[in-house]
Amino acid sequence: MTSLAASAQGYRRLHITALSMRVDHRSVQVEQVFHVAIHVHVTETVANLDELVIPDVGVLEPMGDERAVSHATGGTDVVETLTLAAAQPGVVTLRPAYLDAIDPKSGKALRFSSNSLRIVVVTARAAGASDRSPGIARTFLLVFGVVIGGVSFLIAIVLVVLLVQSRRRAGVVVAAPVVVAPPPGPPVRSPREDVEAALRRYRTSPANGTLHELRAALFVAAGASPGGTLRDALAETSNGALRRALTAAEGAAFGPEAMRDAASTDLIAATERWLA
Amino acid sequence: MSAPRAVLDALHATIVGQDEVCEGLVLAVVAGGHVLLEGAPGVAKTLACRALAAAVGGVFRRVQFTPDLLPSDVTGTRIFDQKSGEFTTVLGPLFANVVLADEINRAPAKVQSALLEGMQERRATIGPQTHDLPTPFLVLATMNPYDAEGTYPLPHAQLDRFLTKLVVAYPSLEEERTIVDRFGAGEPPLLADVVTLDDVRRWQREAHAVFVDAKVRDYAVALVRASREADLVVHGASPRAALALVALARARAYLEGRAFATPDDVRDIAPSVLRHRLSYDDRIALGDRDPEEVVRRIVAAVRAP
């Protein structure tokens, strides 16, 4: 995490709980397609995270870039998947992805960064030789790794010096890197709790949408999929109270307007009996 | 006042098994549509139709369709009366409340057209005069999927006029044993006049008033539209199929004593509404794939509301 002194007005207040970068193959052949996934989780519900800056892929050939945004009870997950291929052998280091936002805890503008990635690209021949003669390949990779490691170390020292100098100029304070934790999944609720929550919403606001939410929750509680019909749900459960609630939901959902009030009362009563 | 379930019970008293066929026949009576029955010889297609006609009462006529049948043999004709010196109209077997068109695909297209025009317009023209057909008017047509030689397949436009197509399957082992025990001694019993024609007219009126929620209607439309994009289907079902789905869903709700139709009603009757309205590609015609499987997949692919 790096605090940002200037131009913080444009940042959003985001509670970032995860920012990580993963690759599906750490060692790839030339022209082999591989994927890098950047995952961000924020506790807020947001439509998109335009602030997310993905690293420059350098010599790698970009073959695709897809961003998926999903919303759950615990906030928003954004997963950006880069499809890449290497044109030449060597070691490629992807710098961290980052995003700038105001940390709700401290109220300060911070730069949240992911981990970096190191990918080894070998020629198809080297990979084939590796298959034929693992000893030679291992030696080659060892020498290659030592050389590249040394070069990387030197580059890292130069980068650190440049970074320190630039921060001195900008008056920026270096903060500890963000701890990249696996995304906390949405709190797991039992189907019964889902029905309770849906019933609460329906009682508060007895509209068509909340009614169908309650009906869907009852379906799941019975063990049927939401795309099924009443018969599917009834076939899944022998619980008499739940069956009555499911049947009452059908009347409330599809019955004529004149019957809706009575059907709604039946549904609430039947669901409460099952929950009790 | 009798309920449609009385007719269903009367059918079950005669027909062993074939629950879907029996229910499909009663639903067609309630919805006021025509039925096409397909099945191998001897599986009780004709018996089911006769049992229904007997239970409903009214006038019943049976026409055995053959290659030499003429349109006037179905609709009627004008005969010169030597005594009066004038032509008089003789109404054909089409003028009945329940018409059984046995082996409909054995008659030429001209005869099929005469019958199907009557089915659609509920009137028939004989000479210069047009005559209304009685109400209720129900055509039950049977078809044999085998022995295709010498038959005249019904065009799709004409098949579309059948509200529903019921497939009469072979009975199970236990059902076949019951058939031998029950009917081995002679003709199966037919329960006559279980309900009146007035009852049927009332059912049709009341079933028409059964409520169909917009979501259920949309589900019916989605099924029909899905049939047009299904694999192996060259031409999907027409909008008339969506009307048929809703009409039969209403009838089913009415039969069950409900004032509203549900997604289950639509899903259950969907195969009988869709199966004769789809035209398939050559793999079906060559027998490589089962058309019933195509229909099942269409129904399974559409999420119920």
Side-chain angles (χ1 to χ4, degrees):
Chain A
M1 234 173 340
T2 306
S3 68
L4 304 164
S7 65
Q9 287 96 334
Y11 299 148
R12 278 198 284 180
R13 186 175 284 270
L14 292 172
H15 190 248
I16 297 157
T17 54
L19 174 51
S20 63
M21 191 156 71
R22 294 192 181 93
V23 63
D24 55 357
H25 295 94
R26 288 198 174 273
S27 173
V28 295
Q29 291 179 29
V30 172
E31 294 185 356
Q32 181 187 340
V33 174
F34 63 99
H35 302 90
V36 171
I38 301 157
H39 170 249
V40 190
H41 181 266
V42 294
T43 54
E44 291 80 9
T45 301
V46 295
N48 210 332
L49 275 182
D50 294 330
E51 300 91 337
L52 177 63
V53 178
I54 59 172
D56 180 14
V57 296
V59 295
L60 299 173
E61 278 182 49
M63 313 284 283
D65 180 3
E66 286 194 22
R67 182 175 286 198
V69 180
S70 58
H71 299 105
T73 322
T76 307
D77 282 295
V78 177
V79 178
E80 179 130 3
T81 307
L82 307 174
T83 306
L84 303 165
Q88 57 197 57
V91 172
V92 181
T93 302
L94 292 183
R95 299 180 67 182
Y98 66 88
L99 65 85
D100 298 336
I102 294 170
D103 181 18
K105 284 180 191 166
S106 61
K108 288 180 182 168
L110 294 176
R111 172 161 294 178
F112 296 84
S113 303
S114 76
N115 53 306
S116 60
L117 282 178
R118 188 167 165 275
I119 299 143
V120 178
V121 184
V122 295
T123 58
R125 205 172 52 185
S130 158
D131 291 342
R132 285 192 301 275
S133 151
I136 295 169
R138 214 177 298 127
T139 310
F140 170 77
L141 280 177
L142 191 64
V143 172
F144 187 72
V146 167
V147 171
I148 293 301
V151 172
S152 302
F153 181 69
L154 287 173
I155 291 171
I157 287 173
V158 171
L159 283 175
V160 167
V161 169
L162 287 174
L163 198 65
V164 167
Q165 282 177 349
S166 70
R167 261 207 307 275
R168 274 183 191 155
R169 277 198 300 275
V172 173
V173 180
V174 179
V178 67
V179 177
V180 180
V188 179
R189 283 198 309 204
S190 69
R192 184 179 282 267
E193 287 169 331
D194 278 340
V195 171
E196 275 173 348
L199 179 61
R200 268 198 304 276
R201 284 194 293 275
Y202 180 54
R203 295 183 80 146
T204 313
S205 164
N208 215 15
T210 50
L211 166 63
H212 281 275
E213 271 179 35
L214 175 55
R215 181 172 170 266
L218 286 167
F219 267 55
V220 173
S225 67
T229 63
L230 174 64
R231 186 170 319 109
D232 299 330
L234 292 178
E236 294 290 338
T237 179
S238 56
N239 183 309
L242 180 55
R243 290 169 69 91
R244 276 190 290 280
L246 285 162
T247 309
E250 202 78 347
F254 303 113
E257 204 61 48
M259 285 174 52
R260 291 265 163 106
D261 284 346
S264 172
T265 309
D266 282 352
L267 170 60
I268 291 170
T271 308
E272 280 175 343
R273 271 198 296 277
W274 176 64
L275 288 169
Chain B
M1 286 201 299
S2 297
R5 203 152 276 283
V7 177
L8 191 59
D9 293 341
L11 288 179
H12 282 310
T14 303
I15 309 292
V16 178
Q18 308 290 3
D19 294 351
E20 279 182 33
V21 173
C22 293
E23 189 187 272
L25 286 169
V26 176
L27 292 181
V29 171
V30 174
H34 309 294
V35 184
L36 183 62
L37 289 108
E38 188 180 78
V43 290
K45 297 188 295 291
T46 307
L47 178 63
C49 296
R50 283 176 53 215
L52 179 71
V56 167
V59 180
F60 170 64
R61 294 278 184 272
R62 175 181 173 172
V63 187
Q64 182 67 45
F65 277 49
T66 52
D68 58 352
L69 203 68
L70 295 171
S72 58
D73 294 333
V74 176
T75 56
T77 188
R78 285 168 65 78
I79 298 172
F80 184 70
D81 187 341
Q82 284 187 318
K83 281 183 187 169
S84 63
E86 290 178 349
F87 280 93
T88 54
T89 301
V90 178
L91 301 178
L94 194 59
F95 290 83
N97 297 110
V98 180
V99 178
L100 170 56
D102 231 349
E103 300 201 77
I104 189 172
N105 54 338
R106 296 218 169 265
K110 207 184 279 184
V111 183
Q112 290 174 2
S113 293
L115 172 71
L116 295 163
E117 275 174 36
M119 285 165 57
Q120 181 66 23
E121 294 168 20
R122 296 184 185 257
R123 60 178 61 178
T125 304
I126 305 165
Q129 283 182 308
T130 299
H131 302 266
D132 287 335
L133 295 172
T135 307
F137 172 63
L138 176 68
V139 173
L140 308 171
T142 69
M143 231 166 68
N144 175 353
Y146 312 120
D147 308 327
E149 202 169 325
T151 61
Y152 302 85
L154 276 76
H156 267 86
Q158 299 194 341
L159 284 169
D160 203 22
R161 293 177 192 181
F162 286 98
L163 184 71
T164 178
K165 179 181 174 185
L166 306 173
V167 175
V168 190
Y170 282 115
S172 67
L173 174 65
E174 207 48 49
E175 288 167 352
E176 206 149 357
R177 283 179 181 146
T178 309
I179 290 167
V180 173
D181 289 343
R182 195 188 289 182
F183 307 132
E187 279 288 295
L190 298 179
L191 297 180
D193 300 327
V194 175
V195 296
T196 66
L197 293 179
D198 282 338
D199 287 327
V200 175
R201 290 185 199 107
R202 179 174 52 81
W203 299 343
Q204 292 181 347
R205 274 197 313 275
E206 290 175 353
H208 197 70
V210 165
F211 177 75
V212 179
D213 186 78
K215 282 193 164 62
V216 177
R217 176 208 59 199
D218 290 349
Y219 178 44
V221 171
L223 282 167
V224 170
R225 295 182 74 83
S227 77
R228 294 174 201 151
E229 287 156 17
D231 191 27
L232 301 174
V233 174
V234 179
H235 297 296
S238 69
R240 195 181 277 161
L243 291 170
L245 275 175
V246 171
L248 281 168
R250 280 192 165 115
R252 193 167 184 278
Y254 185 75
L255 180 67
E256 305 249 319
R258 264 183 285 113
F260 58 92
T262 66
D264 266 322
D265 293 325
V266 174
R267 194 179 67 173
D268 288 352
I269 47 100
S272 71
V273 170
L274 294 178
R275 61 167 64 103
H276 59 296
R277 291 182 159 98
L278 308 182
S279 55
Y280 302 100
D281 81 359
D282 292 344
R283 281 170 287 178
I284 296 284
L286 293 169
D288 291 348
R289 303 286 286 273
D290 179 12
E292 286 295 306
E293 181 58 30
V294 176
V295 173
R296 273 196 294 274
R297 282 186 184 193
I298 292 169
V299 175
V302 179
R303 278 173 66 102

